[in-house]
Amino acid sequence: MNRYQWTLIALLSANFGVVFFDRNTISYLASFIQKDLGLSNTQIGDITAAFSFAWAIAGLFMSTLVDRIGRRKLILVVATLVFSLASVVSGFAATFIGLLGARLLMGIAEGGIMPITQTLIASDVPHERRGLAQGLTQNFGANLLANWLGPLVIVWMGTHYGWRNAFFLSAIPGVIMALLIAWLVREPAIEAAKPKPEPGAMLRMLADRTILLCILISTLLVAFLLVFVTFTPLYLLNVRGFTPQQMSVIMSSFGIASMAVAFLVPGSSDRFGRKPVIIVASLVGMGLPLGMLFMAGDSMAATIACIIFGATLSGIFPLAMATIPSEVVGSARTTTALSLTMGVSEIVGGVFAPGIAGRVADAHGLTSALWILAGITVAIILLALFLRETAPRALARRG
């Protein structure tokens, strides 16, 4: 890959990291917000679900618009600025409805960011390096900024300056990234030949078994991540008795491990194939819920070890959501295919999973969230068994 391609990967990965930093802020501040606004676990889950719903709907509609009119760079810059504004609005929320509305605005702004981002990557990076490139773009920045530094920085800001100021401060990086994208990123070559509108394109994509399986796997991955990020901090605080500072360190270990996974899992899939890597990574990821249920206890070191095992699942996200779908459809329809995969997964996995998990946690305790994570992982493994291989090297070896 050339210099511009690496610059593009680094910049767009950092931008998505800022996006996920803002998205996860509410999870790490949940205990502060619950005390201040008097929210239940169900309401915290509903806020997360509402955000996912807005993200998904906006992504689906925006993708069709972008594929028809182009201007991916401009739309990406505007969306980045709007979600930064939404973070500020979240800090002013005084009621459950106010916070819900602010998160809906943020979801609308962020909906098309990742499909557009991965389309920019797919248009400039060679096919044989696409797994690594899209894996780094979707995983490295998100895990560096949101999953590693996020818990440490957000909890520290919430403890010392209050949860409202934490929202205000988290908006600043988004403005900086919007300016950098406007300056350094160029419109992809596919803008020169925009495809004609094709009614029913999404329905035809759903008829492809590989696309459908990617949607189902992506749905489960989103459900896993949101249940994990939303309720694991509360579980560590309220069930295991860790302090907020200890909880932040434990949760940040997910980000550290996921940064390594951002190289290993997608990069390995370029060499060994998408399907076997997804299956192996899911099996390793079972160590998170099962380890925390049966082995970790109140040991901080053992709990961190379980989190690190679970981080392997983060490496599957770009494969199921971006790499495999982009290998099935042409470059002109990549944004639509990716938005379909990400949009449906956010609507189903992102909307229903946190709300259901919150209600189950209120009824049966926060430990039930770990059983939900275990069930989700088993389902991912079963679906992956039916995937069709799309990696160029793996297909070449088969002749």
Side-chain angles (χ1 to χ4, degrees):
M1 291 188 285
N2 60 36
R3 182 176 180 179
Y4 174 74
Q5 290 165 349
W6 282 114
T7 301
L8 183 68
I9 292 169
L11 190 60
L12 297 183
S13 181
N15 187 58
F16 191 60
V18 171
V19 169
F20 242 78
F21 185 96
D22 282 349
R23 176 174 186 166
N24 289 351
T25 297
I26 195 168
S27 298
Y28 301 125
L29 296 175
S31 60
F32 301 97
I33 298 172
Q34 279 185 319
K35 294 176 182 178
D36 193 13
L37 302 185
L39 304 183
S40 66
N41 291 326
T42 297
Q43 288 175 313
I44 292 293
D46 287 343
I47 290 172
T48 303
F51 176 93
S52 295
F53 180 77
W55 173 307
I57 295 299
L60 286 171
F61 282 100
M62 189 182 298
S63 67
T64 303
L65 179 65
V66 169
D67 272 347
R68 291 183 180 183
I69 69 173
R71 305 302 299 275
R72 288 166 171 80
K73 172 183 170 179
L74 175 62
I75 295 174
L76 185 61
V77 170
V78 172
T80 302
L81 289 172
V82 174
F83 86 67
S84 297
L85 173 64
S87 183
V88 174
V89 175
S90 298
F92 286 112
T95 63
F96 167 71
I97 296 299
L99 187 57
L100 184 71
R103 303 307 287 183
L104 283 170
L105 175 62
M106 180 175 283
I108 291 171
E110 294 184 15
I113 287 179
M114 182 45 58
I116 295 173
T117 294
Q118 293 290 31
T119 301
L120 292 172
I121 296 296
S123 68
D124 275 292
V125 175
H127 193 172
E128 62 272 12
R129 303 294 289 169
R130 192 173 294 174
L132 176 62
Q134 292 182 319
L136 290 175
T137 302
Q138 187 163 344
N139 275 2
F140 190 81
N143 287 303
L144 172 64
L145 299 177
N147 293 331
W148 176 37
L149 294 178
L152 300 174
V153 174
I154 292 169
V155 173
W156 180 82
M157 288 193 298
T159 301
H160 291 84
Y161 300 103
W163 65 270
R164 296 183 186 278
N165 288 323
F167 276 117
F168 298 149
L169 292 172
S170 66
I172 297 174
V175 177
I176 296 173
M177 292 309 307
L179 296 175
L180 289 174
I181 291 171
W183 177 32
L184 297 173
V185 174
R186 61 188 181 219
E187 291 284 4
I190 58 174
E191 302 300 348
K194 301 184 187 99
K196 296 180 180 179
E198 295 181 12
M202 285 191 174
L203 290 177
R204 286 195 293 276
M205 289 179 186
L206 286 173
D208 187 287
R209 186 190 72 182
T210 303
I211 295 292
L212 183 59
L213 285 170
C214 284
I215 290 173
L216 294 174
I217 292 172
S218 297
T219 298
L220 293 169
L221 289 169
V222 170
F224 183 98
L225 181 63
L226 292 186
V227 172
F228 167 72
V229 172
T230 303
F231 295 105
T232 302
L234 295 173
Y235 170 81
L236 295 173
L237 292 170
N238 300 332
V239 178
R240 295 303 185 189
F242 291 110
T243 66
Q245 290 72 27
Q246 288 174 320
M247 177 273 289
S248 68
V249 172
I250 292 170
M251 293 300 294
S252 71
S253 66
F254 184 86
I256 296 175
S258 295
M259 283 191 288
V261 169
F263 288 92
L264 293 175
V265 174
S268 296
S269 76
D270 282 337
R271 176 173 298 222
F272 302 110
R274 318 298 185 205
K275 178 177 177 177
V277 168
I278 289 176
I279 294 172
V280 171
S282 300
L283 288 170
V284 175
M286 285 290 290
L288 192 157
L290 296 183
M292 292 180 69
L293 281 169
F294 299 111
M295 292 184 293
D298 58 359
S299 169
M300 188 171 176
T303 303
I304 289 175
C306 295
I307 298 292
I308 291 173
F309 276 109
T312 58
L313 284 164
S314 69
I316 303 174
F317 272 85
L319 298 180
M321 288 186 170
T323 305
I324 297 175
S326 68
E327 288 170 336
V328 172
V329 302
S331 61
R333 293 300 174 195
T334 297
T335 305
T336 299
L338 271 56
S339 293
L340 178 64
T341 305
M342 298 179 190
V344 174
S345 64
E346 283 286 348
I347 290 175
V348 181
V351 173
F352 292 104
I356 292 172
R359 286 163 174 78
V360 173
D362 280 334
H364 303 286
L366 287 164
T367 302
S368 60
L370 295 176
W371 287 108
I372 292 174
L373 295 179
I376 290 172
T377 309
V378 171
I380 292 172
I381 295 170
L382 294 176
L383 289 172
L385 294 173
F386 298 95
L387 278 173
R388 175 166 55 89
E389 186 57 65
T390 60
R393 289 188 187 179
L395 293 175
R397 286 195 299 269
R398 298 177 184 178

